[in-house]
Amino acid sequence: MKITSAHGGGGKLMNVLIHDIFVKHFANETLSAMEDAAILPAPGARLAFTTDSFVVTPLFFPGGDIGRLAVCGTVNDLLMRGATPRYLSVGFILEDGLDTDALERVALSMKKAADEAGVAIVAGDTKVVEGRGGLYINTSGIGLVETALNISAHNAADGDAVLLSGYLGNHHACVQSERLGIQNAIQSDCAPLNGMVLGLLNAGVEVHALRDITRGGLASVLSEIAEASNVGIHLEGGLTFADPEVSGFCDILGLDPLYMGNEGKLVAFIPQRDALAALTVVRNARYGQNAQIIGTVRADDGLSVTIRTRSGGTRRIESLLGEGLPRIC
Amino acid sequence: MKITSAHGGGGKLMNVLIHDIFVKHFANETLSAMEDAAILPAPGARLAFTTDSFVVTPLFFPGGDIGRLAVCGTVNDLLMRGATPRYLSVGFILEDGLDTDALERVALSMKKAADEAGVAIVAGDTKVVEGRGGLYINTSGIGLVETALNISAHNAADGDAVLLSGYLGNHHACVQSERLGIQNAIQSDCAPLNGMVLGLLNAGVEVHALRDITRGGLASVLSEIAEASNVGIHLEGGLTFADPEVSGFCDILGLDPLYMGNEGKLVAFIPQRDALAALTVVRNARYGQNAQIIGTVRADDGLSVTIRTRSGGTRRIESLLGEGLPRIC
């Protein structure tokens, strides 16, 4: 069945669509009640709240789809503040002509990702616009924060180790390969990072700052943290930032993994005394086996982000200017 | 300046856009920190959480614009559960070619509506897609609920008075007039309903159910409540549902105000003993001067919604089938 504008009218057809696809797969008491807003318990005094819209094309790609991306992206944003993700809302904007089978695949994928991340989808909305069978998804999320935690992009401090949770560029390379029709084995890294983040907190590791590395890549994230924390960040030389398949892809297309988007990678700023413990926790977590310490924070380095070159000098790394890959997430 | 896909890349251009328009106008400490998620105090054990996407076209119309609509729609959904609205997230999906002046007008309008509704915009996201200068907005919202309250579409009860907060159809008629180029004085009713809802709660009126009357119109809302509460709803005859200007518009185009979308109207289900007190509160509230009691709940009426006809009989009212006006909100 194809979506038509009548599915967005607020009447019976929209209700049938919502029940047959969303309520069916996301089923939980809160959502099924179909109220204007979900009422939720929040045992704890502080909330984390975040929002993200997803416009990735194509809707399905190796390693994920727009639904998994939407759940993981919002869950990861909550985790980056040290919050335990709890509740998600989902807003669908459907284009005329979207196949309801595709929509159902997306909904199923969201449910699976939500289960993995331990979140409940408790509120939703559906709109229909003219178009060519496309789909946009907004996910907003609520997490609970232990009162004592203060993890923030403003808190990177002199001497902190910079921990990168894995190789870069897989999501970007996967989406671009799909669009160009390039055959390879590259999969998106799209994943919820609960395991490694809550693992760090449960292990008693002091975490100063956390960021997931999405649009703009590691270069842009480090530039933002350097500015927010008023520090310099110095990366080691000779590091491997991408796996062999993505490295080959980058060589052919002239891409730099430092500027490529990811959907299941983070960078953590950890005091030196806890750095090795943190590395062990992340490497033992799901999605963290290729974690490495990539650099150090220097308070006297101005706001620059630098990397050691092969010749022993240093090169400045700037934030991405303009676009990376449009509609990568 | 026109939006280009580079504004969605996650790099410097996107940051400039976000700072120059969103952070500037929405300015508050939480949002300005530009973290992955906002950390918020939540003094109270229960939250209300809701989401809505807005795709209205045209972006600007008499009485409002997509930004005011996005704030009011989400604020009203929180109020319908008896929650005090507190926090909003905003997700923008911008189409290539959108004028940044228009975007700034929308942002300003959102700030003004948020101030009126007493909510802070604490989280945001921006994406860019190809298109023709359009704009979609998702707003998700968090409200705080007093633990004792249980206002729900499932709680309409035998004998309840049905209170309608004002005349119907203005938003629908306004948007349709704009699209058809019809000159008239009809304005959208787009408004945050904090005053009348919190007024009812503060006055100690017992409220069983509340719904704002958006897509699908009053007919669809009453059908949903009848089904959710397992009751019949009987409307009086001889009521005036639209103001003279909208009535004239309906007569010309063959529209029925009961099926037209609104953005600042609600229906409340109140025990008879509190009905007159409730009517007084709503009539004295901003946006409620034309409130009226329109009917009664009958537990023995099956699930039907009926209205008394001029000849003294009754006519059944069904939920909207298919579409009303596409992209009305």
Side-chain angles (χ1 to χ4, degrees):
Chain A
M1 189 175 73
K2 300 288 184 190
I3 296 291
T4 67
S5 64
H7 287 104
K12 278 185 190 165
L13 272 179
M14 192 173 85
N15 274 333
V16 168
L17 177 75
I18 289 171
H19 274 100
D20 284 2
I21 297 189
F22 303 134
V23 171
K24 182 170 128 194
H25 293 303
F26 298 160
N28 59 59
E29 261 183 47
T30 315
L31 190 68
S32 303
M34 301 284 289
E35 301 275 7
D36 277 337
I39 300 294
L40 308 165
R46 293 205 306 164
L47 305 175
F49 184 31
T50 191
T51 193
D52 242 319
S53 300
F54 296 85
V55 300
V56 68
T57 171
L59 298 178
F60 301 91
F61 43 81
D65 56 72
I66 190 173
R68 180 169 172 83
L69 208 59
V71 170
C72 296
T74 292
V75 160
N76 289 343
D77 279 345
L78 295 171
L79 288 165
M80 296 309 118
R81 302 303 307 280
T84 303
R86 289 290 297 276
Y87 306 114
L88 286 190
S89 67
V90 181
F92 291 98
I93 299 178
L94 316 177
E95 285 186 355
D96 264 345
L98 175 67
D99 201 284
T100 49
D101 288 344
L103 183 60
E104 186 154 15
R105 273 177 71 197
V106 169
L108 271 166
S109 172
M110 296 187 82
K111 168 64 174 162
K112 198 174 153 199
D115 285 348
E116 181 184 349
V119 292
I121 296 169
V122 296
D125 178 62
T126 306
K127 295 290 188 304
V128 178
V129 297
E130 318 85 81
R132 287 174 293 180
L135 167 62
Y136 305 136
I137 301 178
N138 175 283
T139 42
S140 299
I142 296 177
L144 303 183
V145 191
E146 278 193 41
T147 306
L149 281 176
N150 182 19
I151 298 173
S152 158
H154 294 76
N155 292 351
D158 189 43
D160 279 358
V162 182
L163 187 162
L164 175 64
S165 70
Y167 294 132
L168 300 174
N170 297 68
H171 180 70
H172 179 133
C174 160
V175 168
Q176 195 159 4
S177 297
E178 282 292 294
R179 288 199 203 147
L180 298 175
I182 298 173
Q183 301 287 320
N184 57 35
I186 298 172
Q187 297 217 336
S188 170
D189 61 339
C190 176
L193 300 178
N194 305 53
M196 65 181 73
V197 174
L198 301 178
L200 287 171
L201 302 181
N202 291 337
V205 167
E206 189 177 333
V207 180
H208 288 163
L210 286 174
R211 273 279 161 110
D212 57 337
I213 307 163
T214 55
R215 281 182 294 176
L218 181 65
S220 299
V221 168
L222 293 180
S223 297
E224 283 169 29
I225 291 181
E227 191 180 331
S229 295
N230 195 27
V231 295
I233 298 173
H234 190 65
L235 304 187
E236 297 305 319
L239 293 167
T240 301
F241 283 112
D243 66 32
E245 190 109 32
V246 171
S247 285
F249 183 85
C250 289
D251 287 347
I252 292 167
L253 291 181
L255 295 169
D256 182 342
L258 292 180
Y259 290 92
M260 291 165 76
N262 313 270
E263 292 294 337
K265 296 292 155 25
L266 63 76
V267 61
F269 290 75
I270 313 274
Q272 286 294 342
R273 65 178 177 284
D274 284 349
L276 280 180
L279 187 61
T280 304
V281 168
V282 174
R283 280 195 178 153
N284 286 327
R286 193 168 181 187
Y287 311 119
Q289 63 272 25
N290 299 313
Q292 52 187 334
I293 304 288
I294 59 167
T296 315
V297 172
R298 294 281 174 240
D300 54 3
D301 261 5
L303 303 181
S304 67
V305 180
T306 60
I307 188 164
R308 195 181 300 271
T309 61
R310 282 181 198 164
S311 60
T314 60
R315 173 169 69 88
R316 254 186 102 128
I317 294 175
E318 304 285 348
S319 179
L320 177 69
L321 179 66
E323 64 188 313
L325 185 64
R327 299 186 65 171
I328 190 176
C329 62
Chain B
M1 189 175 70
K2 300 287 185 190
I3 295 292
T4 67
S5 63
H7 287 104
K12 278 185 192 168
L13 272 179
M14 192 172 86
N15 273 333
V16 169
L17 177 74
I18 289 171
H19 274 101
D20 284 2
I21 297 189
F22 303 134
V23 171
K24 182 171 129 194
H25 294 303
F26 298 160
N28 59 61
E29 261 183 47
T30 314
L31 190 68
S32 303
M34 302 285 289
E35 302 275 6
D36 277 338
I39 301 293
L40 308 164
R46 293 203 309 162
L47 305 175
F49 184 31
T50 191
T51 192
D52 242 319
S53 300
F54 295 84
V55 300
V56 68
T57 170
L59 299 178
F60 302 91
F61 44 80
D65 56 73
I66 189 172
R68 181 170 172 84
L69 209 59
V71 170
C72 296
T74 292
V75 160
N76 289 344
D77 279 346
L78 295 172
L79 288 164
M80 297 309 118
R81 302 303 307 281
T84 303
R86 290 290 298 275
Y87 307 115
L88 286 190
S89 67
V90 181
F92 291 98
I93 298 178
L94 316 178
E95 286 187 354
D96 264 343
L98 175 67
D99 200 284
T100 49
D101 288 344
L103 183 60
E104 186 155 15
R105 272 178 72 195
V106 169
L108 271 167
S109 172
M110 295 186 82
K111 169 65 174 163
K112 198 174 154 197
D115 285 348
E116 181 183 350
V119 293
I121 296 169
V122 295
D125 178 62
T126 306
K127 295 290 189 302
V128 178
V129 297
E130 318 84 83
R132 289 174 292 180
L135 166 62
Y136 305 136
I137 301 178
N138 176 284
T139 42
S140 299
I142 295 177
L144 303 183
V145 190
E146 277 193 43
T147 306
L149 281 177
N150 181 20
I151 298 173
S152 158
H154 295 74
N155 292 351
D158 188 43
D160 279 358
V162 182
L163 187 162
L164 175 64
S165 71
Y167 294 132
L168 299 174
N170 298 67
H171 180 70
H172 179 132
C174 160
V175 168
Q176 195 160 4
S177 297
E178 282 293 294
R179 289 200 203 146
L180 298 175
I182 298 173
Q183 301 288 321
N184 57 36
I186 299 172
Q187 297 218 336
S188 170
D189 61 341
C190 177
L193 300 178
N194 305 54
M196 65 181 74
V197 174
L198 301 178
L200 287 171
L201 301 181
N202 291 338
V205 167
E206 190 178 333
V207 179
H208 288 164
L210 286 174
R211 273 278 161 112
D212 56 337
I213 307 164
T214 55
R215 281 182 295 176
L218 180 66
S220 300
V221 168
L222 293 180
S223 297
E224 283 169 29
I225 292 181
E227 191 181 331
S229 295
N230 195 27
V231 295
I233 298 172
H234 190 65
L235 304 188
E236 298 304 321
L239 293 167
T240 301
F241 283 111
D243 66 33
E245 189 109 33
V246 171
S247 286
F249 183 86
C250 289
D251 288 347
I252 292 167
L253 291 180
L255 295 169
D256 182 343
L258 292 180
Y259 289 92
M260 291 166 76
N262 312 271
E263 292 294 337
K265 296 291 155 28
L266 62 77
V267 61
F269 290 74
I270 313 274
Q272 286 295 342
R273 65 177 177 284
D274 284 350
L276 280 180
L279 186 62
T280 304
V281 168
V282 173
R283 280 194 178 154
N284 287 327
R286 192 167 182 189
Y287 311 120
Q289 62 273 26
N290 299 314
Q292 52 187 334
I293 305 287
I294 58 168
T296 314
V297 173
R298 293 282 174 239
D300 55 3
D301 261 4
L303 303 182
S304 67
V305 181
T306 59
I307 187 163
R308 195 181 300 270
T309 61
R310 282 181 199 166
S311 59
T314 59
R315 172 168 69 88
R316 255 186 100 128
I317 294 175
E318 305 285 349
S319 179
L320 176 69
L321 178 66
E323 65 188 312
L325 185 64
R327 300 187 62 171
I328 189 177
C329 64

